[in-house]
Amino acid sequence: MAPTYPFSEADGLTLDPTYARLRRDEPVSRVTYPYGGEGWLVTSYEETKFVLGDPRFSRARTVERDVPRMQPLIAPGGSILTHDGADHARMRRLVSKAFTVRRIEELRPRAQQITDELLDRLDNPGDLVEGFTMPFPITIICELLGVPFEDRDDFRMWSNQVLSTVGGYTPEEAMHGMMKLHAYFVDLVAKRRANPTDDLMGALVAARDNEDRLTEDELVRFGITLLVAGHETTANMLANSVVTLFEHPDAMKRLQDDPAVLPNAIEELLRFIPLGSGAGFTRIATEDVQVGNALVKGGDAVLVVVSSANHDESVYPNSAELDLDREVGQHLQFGHGIHFCLGSQLARMELQVALGTLVRRMPGLRLAQPVEFRKGSLVRGPLKLVVAW
């Protein structure tokens, strides 16, 4: 039987040393996943990029199937995350205008305003997660989508259930979270039909009703995907970045002394920090494909570990060091290929505004309590981050 994966429970922001060994000796290896049995695990940069970019590795073939995976939930249909080819391109076109560089830059002043307002209200000492790193991206994605901010406690709980892995919520609780999110967006769609709006959900409802470019199920699942992805990843990446800078005081001082280095520092933090707790979404090979050292047979499940790929020493020498001057190139934190993260420019802007403001306004920022990280989730991040300045 293939080794059990994950190899260990995620430990803060530390990568299991097994990844380094596999990158060197067996970058494409067989493992047994928590759900669905055996599949392939890809840990190296080139092979990860290859799998993510090759259409012979299908997300659509995972829909409603008990495939090898990290999460208890079986992938539902109707989501941009589980479409391939023309269907994926159709859905991506519907929202791509909301995430252009120009549109994101138009949001920057509002992001700065939200940042300043939240930091003005933050207690000293105070919990940066509850007071800033979580409400900041939630406010932005809520305004962009047209989701009421006052519902944040509900959809945060539901999204935490949906993102759970082994040791987190039970399969029943994960399904409960998905059902609650589904019902929430069914209701939101009905409200948008009764009272049309010019936010993103309003535009998607119009595309469904007036142009027939979305099914009803696709419309609802689109909203769920954008909401969950739009706040969970950025909120935890922001908190993890602060923790990482505390662990690297020279890098923190560099950012304080030289704000011009911030954009490249963000890219290095994105490469350096293992945001995911393990392998990402499952793909199914549609035919036999040679991937590095392994012949992947048609029908086999393949999962990649982006965090491991971003620490591949053949691409990033001294990869375990945080180097704000590193020429990062194309790190894989946002993925690669057709499923490259739609919100990557939004996330970059949010990180630049939030981190830049933190180090400028709070030069004495320091950790006031030991950090406790969440367990049993696809996304790593602190439960609380109590700071003082």
Side-chain angles (χ1 to χ4, degrees), residues 78 83 90-91 213-223:
H83 280 321
R90 167 178 58 86
M91 296 188 75
R213 288 191 288 172
L214 285 172
T215 68
E216 192 74 6
D217 189 55
E218 286 174 340
L219 171 59
V220 170
R221 295 195 185 280
F222 221 149

Side-chain angles (χ1 to χ4, degrees), residues 66-142:
D66 185 22
V67 298
R69 63 195 186 281
M70 288 283 292
Q71 295 176 273
L73 279 178
I74 292 175
S79 165
I80 191 172
L81 298 176
T82 54
H83 280 321
D84 297 329
D87 278 339
H88 179 271
R90 167 178 58 86
M91 296 188 75
R92 197 175 182 95
R93 280 195 300 271
L94 289 174
V95 295
S96 59
K97 290 180 182 177
F99 294 99
T100 62
V101 173
R102 181 180 64 81
R103 175 69 180 123
I104 297 307
E105 283 305 307
E106 290 173 354
L107 292 174
R108 189 180 288 268
R110 176 59 179 146
Q112 186 65 62
Q113 181 184 13
I114 295 166
T115 296
D116 290 334
E117 290 173 354
L118 289 171
L119 292 181
D120 285 343
R121 297 197 297 266
L122 188 66
D123 292 332
N124 185 10
D127 179 9
L128 206 62
V129 170
E130 286 301 317
F132 181 53
T133 63
M134 188 60 73
F136 170 62
I138 285 179
T139 303
I140 292 176
I141 198 65
C142 282

Side-chain angles (χ1 to χ4, degrees), residues 119-336:
L119 292 181
D120 285 343
R121 297 197 297 266
L122 188 66
D123 292 332
N124 185 10
D127 179 9
L128 206 62
V129 170
E130 286 301 317
F132 181 53
T133 63
M134 188 60 73
F136 170 62
I138 285 179
T139 303
I140 292 176
I141 198 65
C142 282
E143 292 183 359
L144 190 62
L145 277 174
V147 174
F149 179 76
E150 56 267 26
D151 295 338
R152 64 192 181 282
D153 289 339
D154 287 334
F155 64 69
R156 270 187 66 188
M157 179 180 66
W158 301 330
S159 66
N160 284 338
Q161 291 173 331
V162 168
L163 291 172
S164 67
T165 60
V166 173
Y169 290 96
T170 66
E172 292 75 21
E173 289 169 330
M175 180 55 71
H176 172 267
M178 179 57 76
M179 290 175 66
K180 295 294 285 187
L181 279 168
H182 194 277
Y184 181 85
F185 272 91
V186 167
D187 181 62
L188 188 63
V189 165
K191 290 176 179 176
R192 288 295 179 276
R193 285 204 173 99
N195 297 288
T197 57
D198 61 359
D199 51 48
L200 188 49
M201 280 307 298
L204 291 174
V205 170
R208 160 70 180 135
D209 293 349
N210 302 329
E211 302 171 50
D212 200 28
R213 288 191 288 172
L214 285 172
T215 68
E216 192 74 6
D217 189 55
E218 286 174 340
L219 171 59
V220 170
R221 295 195 185 280
F222 221 149
I224 294 171
T225 300
L226 290 170
L227 178 64
V228 174
H231 81 272
E232 281 285 355
T233 52
T234 303
N236 285 288
M237 184 66 205
L238 177 54
N240 291 338
S241 295
V242 176
V243 172
T244 300
L245 290 174
F246 284 147
E247 294 173 345
H248 297 79
D250 289 347
M252 175 77 88
K253 189 173 189 310
R254 177 78 192 285
L255 278 179
Q256 292 167 341
D257 293 344
D258 185 9
V261 79
L262 181 64
N264 197 71
I266 296 293
E267 298 307 310
E268 172 67 350
L269 287 163
L270 285 163
R271 179 205 70 82
F272 180 81
I273 293 171
L275 182 60
S277 62
F281 294 117
T282 308
R283 288 166 169 78
I284 303 297
T286 59
E287 60 183 75
D288 293 359
V289 187
Q290 187 72 36
V291 185
N293 57 283
L295 177 62
V296 176
K297 296 284 191 177
D300 283 356
V302 182
L303 288 83
V304 302
V305 187
V306 165
S307 298
S308 174
N310 281 337
H311 280 253
D312 191 328
E313 295 80 0
S314 69
V315 179
Y316 299 110
N318 303 313
S319 64
E321 295 180 8
L322 181 70
D323 180 0
L324 301 191
D325 296 312
R326 185 192 299 273
E327 292 185 10
V328 181
Q330 189 183 17
H331 63 73
L332 299 176
Q333 188 69 270
F334 293 120
H336 178 70

